[in-house]
Amino acid sequence: MAATKPEKVLELRHLTKRYGKTIAVDDLSLTVCRGEVWGLLGPNGAGKTTTIRAILGLVRPDAGEVVVMGHPVGRGAQRIMRHIGATVEGPTAYSYLSGRDNLRLCAKLTRNGAEQNIERVLELVGLIEKANVKVSDYSLGMKQRLSLAQALVGDPSLLILDEPVNGLDPRGIREIRRLIVRLAREKQITILLSSHLLHEVEQTCDHVAIIDKGKLVLSGPVPELLSQTTGDLEDLFIELTGGEDGSIN
Ligand code: ATP
């Protein structure tokens, strides 16, 4: 029996975005299929956030397009956007509200019926015990987990995480990392996360796309890339991206 074709959840087709003379994203093409966890890896300024912002329709590409579940982003794809959960540019929540109330608000804005997911999502991110505590009393790790809960409350098929472990201590990093792996394994959520940490991507992702100066320099399944390199992925990453800014650890 022929194997079923993997379902394309996200396609970047020749995506290009310029800011003046800077080409933030340069002819970037990538296909992400259902259930895959992709790491968008690159040094500072490589174009990761711009790519994510284009996926979410927050910036308009100068050329190329983003297609989510077969629908081009930015051309009447609002219904499709409801299937995307995202954390972009750090945790954002009302600090004078509790975690649960923030999620209530978020659920209302996301889609009908999302409110019924609140308790399950709080449980999933390990915030159920602190759900009634004001966000102003949360640690950064708790805020990051709340941000993940906000992204998950609409029951997304595609989760986009911009630097999800930024600023966290090793314990917080481990918690978020485990959560991401669990979400992918148990919930079959397709995930694209950006990171400048190779180690992070190796730990959490099954696929990696390395970008530098807006260009895709290497992509594929992590084990396949590992088997192709004589040294390790870190050597390759430094070689491909210059990586002299000390961001790789
Ligand atoms: P970092 O890891 O430091 O967050 P990044 O990989 O996310 O970097 P981007 O933030 O996408 O990279 O930036 C890519 C390039 O585009 C950089 O040269 C940046 O200075 C530039 N850039 C990004 N946003 C803007 C903007 N709004 N206006 C002008 N230039 C921008």
Side-chain angles (χ1 to χ4, degrees):
M1 203 171 72
T4 48
K5 247 183 158 181
E7 185 191 345
K8 292 175 186 173
V9 172
L10 170 69
E11 290 170 82
L12 308 181
R13 297 179 182 161
H14 304 286
L15 187 67
T16 302
K17 177 69 191 173
R18 290 183 201 91
Y19 292 109
K21 285 183 182 161
T22 306
I23 304 187
V25 181
D26 192 358
D27 196 26
L28 185 64
S29 294
L30 195 70
T31 300
V32 175
C33 293
R34 183 163 302 284
E36 292 176 348
V37 183
W38 276 82
L40 189 60
L41 180 69
N44 294 121
K48 304 180 294 293
T49 302
T50 306
T51 302
I52 283 180
R53 290 175 67 84
I55 294 169
L56 298 173
L58 299 173
V59 298
R60 190 193 291 263
D62 291 299
E65 62 177 355
V66 176
V67 177
V68 175
M69 292 169 197
H71 298 262
V73 168
R75 271 187 269 145
Q78 283 86 346
R79 264 186 291 147
I80 287 300
M81 296 314 276
R82 292 192 190 143
H83 295 279
I84 306 182
T87 66
V88 190
E89 285 151 19
T92 44
Y94 290 105
S95 53
Y96 57 87
L97 295 179
S98 68
R100 184 177 273 117
D101 283 344
N102 266 288
L103 280 182
R104 283 193 180 123
L105 207 59
C106 201
K108 276 204 177 78
L109 294 169
T110 308
R111 64 176 175 82
N112 284 342
E115 271 181 318
Q116 71 193 33
N117 298 330
I118 291 174
E119 298 311 305
R120 183 174 55 79
V121 163
L122 280 167
E123 188 82 56
L124 192 68
V125 302
L127 279 179
I128 197 85
E129 312 267 297
K130 303 282 183 188
N132 291 330
V133 173
K134 279 188 184 167
V135 170
S136 54
D137 293 337
Y138 277 15
S139 66
L140 180 61
M142 289 162 73
K143 285 179 187 162
Q144 293 277 40
R145 280 187 276 146
L146 179 63
S147 161
L148 253 181
Q150 289 170 315
L152 288 167
V153 78
D155 214 3
S157 310
L158 173 64
L159 193 58
I160 308 279
L161 308 172
D162 192 15
E163 308 262 1
V165 299
N166 228 3
L168 294 183
D169 62 17
R171 190 189 167 139
I173 291 175
R174 197 174 56 184
E175 281 173 5
I176 294 286
R177 190 182 288 157
R178 283 184 180 161
L179 190 57
I180 291 169
V181 172
R182 225 178 110 199
L183 284 170
R185 273 204 203 123
E186 292 174 17
K187 312 276 172 202
Q188 285 293 297
I189 298 180
T190 309
I191 301 175
L192 175 77
L193 64 87
S194 74
S195 178
H196 57 276
L197 306 175
L198 176 77
H199 184 62
E200 188 53 44
V201 167
E202 273 187 281
Q203 296 275 321
T204 41
C205 303
D206 44 50
H207 288 70
V208 64
I210 298 179
I211 62 170
D212 188 34
K213 299 181 188 79
K215 275 189 183 302
L216 184 70
V217 288
L218 192 75
S219 69
V222 172
E224 211 169 275
L225 297 182
L226 281 172
S227 70
Q228 281 170 14
T229 55
T230 46
D232 61 6
L233 256 188
E234 187 162 37
D235 289 339
L236 185 66
F237 180 43
I238 293 170
E239 197 184 303
L240 288 170
T241 64
E244 66 289 314
D245 63 1
S247 62
I248 303 146
N249 56 24

